[in-house]
């Protein structure tokens, strides 16, 4: 099911038949360096457990560019516990996680198009007041992309993410709906 289209980019809901794409992308050490960790490759069983649980609050999607599947994005409404950790009240806040799994599509502006279009979708269709992301502080490419999309660094989340055997700091970054 197509969620939205923005130029040559399409975002559609994850389908059962996408499982082999996820295995391909999440067993590539170049991708895993920034998403999940090189010590944490995915096989088909792991993809099914992580991406296809029956009850899940995340909306999981495949990213297509020029009609080719190139990546993954998920979005979710922040729960009360996460809002409190981030220092927010009860306003409607969405978070996203994403990666471009086809490395040949890195550094071509597609990440900016993806993040910008998802922010627009969440504000317009889901009525989000804020959209947040929490990249690891060492993921400079992602942070630069998010800043180009209008997200601002808010605060460091110490030892937020376990990656390759170490707890890493993350940046809490946010986009605030200016029409609110």
């Amino acid at each position: 099911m197509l969620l939205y289209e923005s130029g040559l980019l399409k975002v559609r809901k994850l389908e059962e038949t996408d499982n082999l794409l996820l295995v391909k992308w999440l067993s590539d050490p170049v991708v895993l360096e920034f998403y999940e960790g090189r010590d944490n490759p995915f096989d088909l069983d792991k993809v099914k457990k992580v991406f296809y649980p029956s009850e899940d609050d995340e909306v999981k999607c495949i990213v297509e560019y020029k009609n080719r599947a190139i990546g993954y994005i998920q979005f979710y409404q922040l729960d009360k516990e996460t809002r409190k950790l981030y220092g927010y009240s009860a306003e409607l806040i969405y978070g996203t996680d994403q990666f471009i799994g086809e490395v040949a599509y890195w550094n071509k502006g597609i990440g900016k198009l993806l993040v910008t279009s998802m922010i627009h979708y969440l504000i317009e269709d889901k009525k989000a007041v804020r959209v947040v992301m929490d990249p690891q502080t060492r993921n400079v490419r992602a942070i630069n992309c998010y800043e180009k999309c209008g997200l601002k660094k808010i605060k460091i989340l110490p030892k937020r993410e376990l990656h390759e055997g170490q707890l890493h700091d993350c940046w809490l970054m946010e986009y605030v709906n200016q029409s609110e």
Side-chain angles (χ1 to χ4, degrees), residues 52-87:
Y52 296 95
S54 56
E55 291 180 24
D56 207 342
D57 293 333
E58 297 154 346
V59 179
K60 296 172 167 62
C61 303
I62 291 293
V63 178
E64 294 182 359
Y65 187 73
K66 295 183 179 177
N67 295 314
R68 179 176 179 195
I70 64 158
Y72 172 83
I73 189 165
Q74 64 186 21
F75 63 90
Y76 43 89
Q77 195 172 333
L78 261 58
D79 59 28
K80 186 177 180 180
E81 183 180 311
T82 306
R83 283 195 318 267
K84 184 178 179 185
L85 173 73
Y86 288 179

Side-chain angles (χ1 to χ4, degrees), residues 131-145:
V131 178
V132 298
M133 298 175 195
D134 60 353
Q136 291 179 23
T137 56
R138 66 180 192 82
N139 194 345
V140 176
R141 181 177 37 240
I143 292 165
N144 288 340
C145 173

Side-chain angles (χ1 to χ4, degrees), residues 108-152:
K108 298 189 183 305
I110 299 167
K112 181 181 178 205
L113 177 59
L114 172 61
V115 171
T116 302
S117 62
M118 179 54 76
I119 288 170
H120 180 78
Y121 171 78
L122 293 172
I123 287 172
E124 295 299 317
D125 289 52
K126 300 296 182 183
K127 307 303 179 204
V129 174
R130 298 175 196 272
V131 178
V132 298
M133 298 175 195
D134 60 353
Q136 291 179 23
T137 56
R138 66 180 192 82
N139 194 345
V140 176
R141 181 177 37 240
I143 292 165
N144 288 340
C145 173
Y146 303 159
E147 287 179 325
K148 287 177 190 172
C149 297
L151 284 99
K152 305 272 188 257

Side-chain angles (χ1 to χ4, degrees), residues 25-26 28-35 99-103 106:
W25 297 333
L26 293 173
D28 181 342
V30 178
V31 174
L32 289 171
E33 182 180 351
F34 300 100
Y35 196 92
F99 66 86
I100 294 176
E102 296 294 336
V103 177
W106 288 9

